Amino acid sequence: MKILAITSCPNGIAHTYMAAENLQKAGKKLGIEIKVETQGSIGVENALTEEEIREADGIIIAADKTVVKDRFVGKKLLVVGVQDGIRRPEELIQRVMKGEVPVYQAQSRSSDSRSGEKAPKQNPIYRHLMNGVSYMVPFIVIGGLLIAIALTIGGVKTPGGLVIPEGSIWKNIQDIGSAAFTFMVPILAGFIAMSIADRPGLAPGIVGGFIAANGSLYGSEAGAGFIGGIIAGFLAGYVALGIRKIKVGRALQPIMPIIIIPVLSSLIVGLIFIFVIGSPIAHLFEVLTGWLAGMQGTSSILLALILGAMISFDMGGPVNKVAFLFGSAMIGEGNYEIMGPIAVAICIPPIGMGLAAMINKRKFASAEREAGKATFTMGLFGITEGAIPFAAQDPLRVIPSIMAGSMVGSVIAMLGNVGDRVAHGGPVVAVLGAVDHVVMFFIAVIVGSAVTVVMVSLLKRDVAIVAESTAVEAVAPESLGNDPQVKPAKTSIAADLETTQGRLEKLTDILTPELMELNVAGTTKEAVIDEMIAILERNGAISSASDFKEGILAREDESSTGIGMNIAIPHSKSDAVLKPSVVFGIKQGGVDWNSVDGNHAKLVFMIAVPRSSKGNAHLKVLQMLSRKLMDDDFREALLAVTTKEEAYQLLGQVH
């Protein structure tokens, strides 16, 4: 039997490849030939060929983002979330082997269902949005950096802004960057729609996004920006999905996905934007522009607050453009102190979000921290759009944070009489000499960015470190999942456990040879627990053996900490613990621990953490242990040690 699989996750990093690895291991164990295509952040790897698909007995898709299924028509197809690929790979393969999988048919949504699986916990709206954002980001990076480079090196100051002379190579580079930017909103909308309705939604989504970004089609100079693109994407996706569900005759079925659905959906979405959504937006922004013009001289602080909020609200969208065009018009009238606060506000969203992502590991995943570097760079060159990916992923927390920062920076610039003689923003204009009161300009940018960093750090929830949390869940979802203290999917698992030497980096930071017993005497679970607690008490790690044991047994009552593979990890976060410690014991004959796989526990790690430790400190230890203990060779080496020194050296590899 030959099985094919595809794995993919929104960020395209850890989950994608861990699911692939576990499926391959499970296939090898079951004696099944399996090939896995990964659709990760660097693109498709190990791509499935037409011949392989034709010869396959079944296909597994373990993904949390849209995977095009058209090539699998007529094949047995099992669609699950990427976590199922990580946690239950053998079960998925066995279901395909037993034929408990539907045959995928074109135009049928039934095969997209999880076939009895629990619906994924991830919000589908979020999943669709992330699908669009993941494809949009490269266009922002290309456009922003190329334009920034061209302006910095080839730009010439004029009353109308930084201008690159015609015929210059830098003009060509700027044009390439501008071309990339023109695709940004259509791509966002297109892939949102594709996530909802599969391939038939792609074309109407792109068409709707193009219309949203080009306000001239409905009487707006600014257009609807990326917010309009999001609306267009969802509108196109659900319109295409609705049309797709209409039952048609056999003669029309072949042309539905390539003619009828794209044409009708594009027409409906386009007309809605032109005649329903677009015109009110155009009128709204005309009123806004007139209102801003009427505010001059009345209250400079209030005007600065409003301009800062508008610039950062949609980051290059219509609200941003109204404020920017207003500032540009004032330059033409010789008033440079309106564009000064705007120039500050323009760069604070990307600089603030870039800094926040790079320095705050508890709030941003690794992929976001990497993206933060490009975002920060765009901010230096006044490319507000650099913050869009962060805002699109978490608008309710990010947008208020960047608005607050831009408003503060704008007010400081207004009070400091910062002027800008060109229609552009960011530190680049100050470096090129286009800014009056440069010191105040940089003070405004620094303070405003700091406000954004602080606010977003306070508002955003902690994120699980993907690879580490997955390792815990993959090893023992049942044994850890019901523990009220252990919630890998919902809580931060940052390395926030402090030891006497500093931050916990490896297991031997809290495990010494004195905390080891290589010949455990106990023959029952409770006897082993008592023996290990006595070691903690002997080494001054706990104040009360009875109180700590109560916490250990309460955890065991929730569900067994025997995670399988001859391993048990009893643990407790207790007031009786004086210092974080781990006791390691070996029971060569094994002891019944009610493990999930039925095997007796031979390697026992008891984790003791003070209740006062911030965060979920015991998770850090669990993560380190579970990740390393998945290695068969490592477990065998541990069981073979004869001295505490050998064990200590081996366990020093756990980090």
Side-chain angles (χ1 to χ4, degrees), residues 123 184 241 478 511 527 638 655:
N123 189 315
M184 180 180 71
L241 184 59
E478 293 85 356
L511 171 63
L638 266 183
H655 55 80

Side-chain angles (χ1 to χ4, degrees), residues 296-430:
Q296 290 187 71
T298 58
S299 172
S300 60
I301 302 300
L302 180 59
L303 180 60
L305 286 170
I306 293 171
L307 291 174
M310 292 178 68
I311 285 293
S312 56
F313 173 70
D314 57 357
M315 294 149 284
V319 177
N320 170 288
K321 288 295 189 293
V322 168
F324 182 80
L325 293 173
F326 174 66
S328 301
M330 293 301 100
I331 291 176
E333 296 181 13
N335 184 344
Y336 307 124
E337 292 188 1
I338 298 298
M339 194 65 200
I342 291 174
V344 169
I346 281 172
C347 65
I348 285 174
I351 289 177
M353 289 309 303
L355 286 172
M358 287 189 287
I359 67 179
N360 202 333
K361 295 182 179 181
R362 295 184 62 180
K363 304 291 181 177
F364 296 90
S366 58
E368 294 174 310
R369 296 199 297 274
E370 286 300 314
K373 298 174 184 177
T375 298
F376 176 79
T377 303
M378 288 187 216
L380 298 178
F381 295 103
I383 309 297
T384 317
E385 288 87 346
I388 287 177
F390 293 99
Q393 290 185 52
D394 194 0
L396 296 180
R397 295 178 179 84
V398 171
I399 292 179
S401 300
I402 60 177
M403 286 179 67
S406 290
M407 290 165 72
V408 169
S410 185
V411 168
I412 292 173
M414 184 70 80
L415 293 173
N417 298 315
V418 173
D420 183 6
R421 297 173 180 271
V422 298
H424 198 72
V428 63
V429 295

Side-chain angles (χ1 to χ4, degrees), residues 58-296:
I59 291 98
I60 299 170
I61 296 179
D64 284 341
K65 61 182 286 189
T66 299
V67 174
V68 178
K69 308 175 187 70
D70 292 4
R71 51 183 167 158
F72 304 129
V73 172
K75 308 297 294 188
K76 292 180 179 178
L77 179 64
L78 176 61
V79 183
V80 297
V82 72
Q83 288 287 352
D84 289 325
I86 295 170
R87 299 180 188 178
R88 303 187 291 127
E90 288 187 32
E91 180 183 329
L92 302 182
I93 293 172
Q94 288 171 343
R95 287 181 59 180
V96 175
M97 292 170 63
K98 294 175 183 177
E100 300 174 354
V101 177
V103 175
Y104 181 70
Q105 301 292 344
Q107 305 303 315
S108 171
R109 299 298 293 176
S110 61
S111 60
D112 287 349
S113 68
R114 262 58 179 179
S115 306
E117 299 293 321
K118 292 181 180 180
K121 294 180 180 179
Q122 190 182 69
N123 189 315
I125 299 298
Y126 175 82
R127 187 171 68 252
H128 302 323
L129 182 61
M130 288 304 97
N131 194 63
V133 170
S134 66
Y135 284 100
M136 174 188 70
V137 169
F139 291 88
I140 297 177
V141 174
I142 293 168
L145 292 182
L146 288 182
I147 291 173
I149 291 169
L151 286 170
T152 303
I153 301 176
V156 176
K157 290 181 291 183
T158 72
L162 283 173
V163 175
I164 299 174
E166 294 291 337
S168 165
I169 183 64
W170 302 111
K171 180 64 175 175
N172 298 131
I173 293 174
Q174 182 192 40
D175 291 342
I176 295 171
S178 298
F181 260 144
T182 62
F183 288 106
M184 180 180 71
V185 174
I187 290 296
L188 170 67
F191 282 94
I192 288 174
M194 185 176 175
S195 179
I196 296 168
D198 282 345
R199 189 170 292 178
L202 180 61
I206 289 177
V207 170
F210 177 83
I211 294 171
N214 289 272
S216 59
L217 294 171
Y218 45 86
S220 169
E221 291 185 15
F226 93 96
I227 293 177
I230 291 174
I231 295 171
F234 279 101
L235 183 61
Y238 285 113
V239 167
L241 184 59
I243 298 173
R244 182 176 175 173
K245 289 182 177 179
I246 298 174
K247 294 183 178 179
V248 298
R250 189 180 299 273
L252 290 177
Q253 285 183 359
I255 63 171
M256 283 289 287
I258 59 174
I259 297 177
I260 295 177
I261 296 176
V263 171
L264 281 180
S265 300
S266 299
L267 183 62
I268 291 170
V269 173
L271 291 176
I272 288 175
F273 249 93
I274 291 172
F275 293 107
V276 180
I277 300 176
S279 295
I281 289 176
H283 178 68
L284 172 64
F285 294 133
E286 287 175 6
V287 171
L288 271 174
T289 303
W291 178 60
L292 288 174
M295 282 194 65
Q296 290 187 71

Side-chain angles (χ1 to χ4, degrees), residues 469-490:
S469 64
T470 302
V472 175
E473 295 170 8
V475 173
E478 293 85 356
S479 67
L480 301 181
N482 295 324
D483 187 350
Q485 296 178 5
V486 184
K487 300 177 181 178
K490 297 181 181 179

Side-chain angles (χ1 to χ4, degrees), residues 511-522 527-536 538-539 582-588 602-606 638-639 641-645 647-648 651:
L511 171 63
T512 65
E514 290 74 24
L515 291 170
M516 297 180 185
E517 177 52 67
L518 303 188
N519 296 291
V520 172
V528 172
I529 288 174
D530 286 337
E531 193 171 342
M532 301 185 89
I533 290 176
I535 294 174
L536 285 170
R538 199 160 55 240
N539 283 272
V582 171
V583 179
F584 169 58
I586 298 177
K587 178 68 175 177
Q588 291 292 350
K602 297 181 180 181
L603 301 172
V604 183
F605 296 85
M606 178 174 284
L638 266 183
L639 283 169
V641 299
T642 57
T643 66
K644 292 183 178 181
E645 288 71 21
Y648 187 77
L651 292 171

